[in-house]
Amino acid sequence: MKTRLTELLKTEYPIIQGGMAWVAEYHLAAAVSNAGGLGLIGAASAPAEIVREQIREAKKLTDRPFGVNVMLMNPNSDAVAEIIVEEGVPVVTTGAGNPGKYMKLWKEHGVTVIPVVASVAMARMMEKSGADAVVAEGTESGGHIGQQTTMALVPQVVDAVEIPVIAAGGIADGRGFAAALMLGAEGVQMGTRFVTAKESIVHENYKEKIYKAKDIDSAVTGRSTGHPVRCIRNKMTKEYLRMESEGATLEELEQLTLGSLRNAVIDGDVVNGTIMAGQIAGLIKEGASCQEILEEIMGDAEQLLKKYAE
Ligand code: TUI
């Protein structure tokens, strides 16, 4: 399948992996790229030199293009922005803010820049400042989220900008992929499905929480703080939401979640940890390799698209 996105990214498939904190490390990024998608290393809150090491390790595992996701709330992001250029990383995605201040540096060095946006206004602004594509991410996503649904957001962003649009939020199979194309997207970004990939280093307890999740099993913490985060319900979310409703301070809430994503992803603490995942977790019943995931999605989507073309 060829879209403007496969041309831009030089990938076989128009599918990119989310830049998930702790999850999107080099094994997963290289596996997604080797399977024909675009793998991403999530810089998240990591020190810049760790990001450099991750990039170098990924290069050992794949000759194909991969990218780095810059989480803009990270105080180290200035240094990460430089390392991306120094290491010759071809693609950057950004999240949780406005990447405008890095645009000149990245464009001067030929980096393909793909901001993740949650609104039409942000998509327009990013196009004006030189973005090559945008990820339009709906509120169905895991992690830090906006308010618009994928179904409503994607076609409005498609109409607002000329650059290619990548749909994200609630997509985990060939049906979701085909639906995204029908909305005018030229590719998709998936996070939760790749959390469960065989090559993902995520603790088995975390993967089990995704396999066992039902449609209604996600909760959004942090609405009161302005940083809403979607994760799978557990003791932590219950406690967080109780504290939020009782007017807890930002410090008290931060205390509850300090290090909690790492504890869930690496140590498998799915009771007190933060299990970030999208609403589509309920659809995912078992793990598969990145190759299997991408082939299944592309095969199913092609059949569906043919069916409706008849
Ligand atoms: O960034 C994400 N997902 C994330 S970031 C993250 S780390 C974190 N953890 C706790 C609290 C906050 C962050 C976990 N998951 N997705 C992309 C995304 N970007 N979603 C929403 C946005 C976004 C939000 C505001 C993009 C731009 C934006 O603009 C702000 C502005 O400056 O106007």
Side-chain angles (χ1 to χ4, degrees):
M1 182 178 287
K2 273 198 168 32
T3 71
R4 284 190 296 168
L5 193 67
T6 54
E7 302 288 320
L8 185 65
L9 302 177
K10 301 180 178 67
T11 58
E12 196 177 341
Y13 307 129
I15 299 181
I16 75 175
Q17 170 227 319
M20 304 162 283
W22 293 104
V23 175
E25 49 68 74
Y26 71 91
H27 295 97
L28 182 61
V32 172
S33 288
N34 282 332
L38 186 83
L40 269 295
I41 290 165
S45 304
E49 285 307 316
I50 300 282
V51 179
R52 191 196 300 279
E53 275 172 35
Q54 289 274 323
I55 294 166
R56 291 185 176 173
E57 291 301 323
K59 284 177 186 165
K60 292 180 194 164
L61 297 183
T62 186
D63 293 328
R64 296 197 178 182
F66 64 87
V68 169
N69 172 269
V70 180
M71 207 278 283
L72 296 160
M73 283 166 42
N74 176 5
N76 307 322
S77 59
D78 287 1
V80 173
E82 295 283 349
I83 281 173
I84 284 163
V85 169
E86 288 165 19
E87 295 295 321
V89 173
V91 184
V92 168
T93 66
T94 65
N98 184 341
K101 68 169 171 171
Y102 305 124
M103 207 60 104
K104 185 165 171 281
L105 170 75
W106 288 336
K107 296 316 304 172
E108 273 173 9
H109 289 86
V111 180
T112 295
V113 183
I114 310 181
V116 178
V117 302
S119 69
V120 166
M122 191 72 180
R124 282 213 176 94
M125 197 191 300
M126 290 300 101
E127 177 173 57
K128 252 193 212 137
S129 68
D132 298 282
V134 288
V135 175
E137 189 183 271
T139 196
E140 297 92 323
S141 301
H144 180 52
I145 49 171
Q147 295 191 350
Q148 316 307 313
T149 61
T150 301
M151 181 70 110
L153 177 66
V154 172
Q156 294 186 71
V157 171
V158 167
D159 285 353
V161 298
E162 300 280 333
I163 53 180
V165 176
I166 300 158
I171 301 167
D173 69 3
R175 294 171 296 183
F177 177 90
L181 296 186
M182 296 297 96
L183 297 176
E186 293 181 63
V188 302
Q189 173 188 278
M190 298 192 302
T192 307
R193 183 79 197 261
F194 286 125
V195 172
T196 66
K198 292 243 164 75
E199 297 89 343
S200 137
I201 54 87
V202 172
H203 197 285
E204 205 54 37
N205 293 354
Y206 196 120
K207 294 183 179 180
E208 281 295 324
K209 289 295 278 187
I210 292 176
Y211 304 145
K212 294 217 169 86
K214 298 188 293 294
D215 54 349
I216 58 168
D217 282 345
S218 82
V220 178
T221 58
R223 289 210 192 270
S224 69
T225 70
H227 297 298
V229 170
R230 184 180 302 286
C231 33
I232 295 179
R233 281 176 209 276
N234 64 357
K235 182 158 168 263
M236 184 285 293
T237 64
K238 202 171 166 190
E239 178 70 0
Y240 194 108
L241 294 173
R242 186 189 63 74
M243 285 170 64
E244 249 186 323
S245 72
E246 290 171 2
T249 64
L250 194 60
E251 288 70 32
E252 287 168 333
L253 292 170
E254 274 179 358
Q255 194 60 40
L256 188 68
T257 52
L258 196 69
S260 65
L261 178 63
R262 186 206 166 278
N263 293 346
V265 172
I266 308 295
D267 298 337
D269 180 358
V270 292
V271 177
N272 295 303
T274 295
I275 315 164
M276 290 188 190
Q279 287 185 335
I280 204 67
L283 194 77
I284 303 164
K285 299 297 172 211
E286 58 187 11
S289 69
C290 290
Q291 188 80 41
E292 288 164 345
I293 291 171
L294 293 188
E295 281 174 4
E296 174 214 296
I297 290 176
M298 294 308 298
D300 288 355
E302 270 162 27
Q303 272 193 350
L304 279 170
L305 295 168
K306 249 188 238 152
K307 179 172 156 188
Y308 290 102
E310 277 162 12

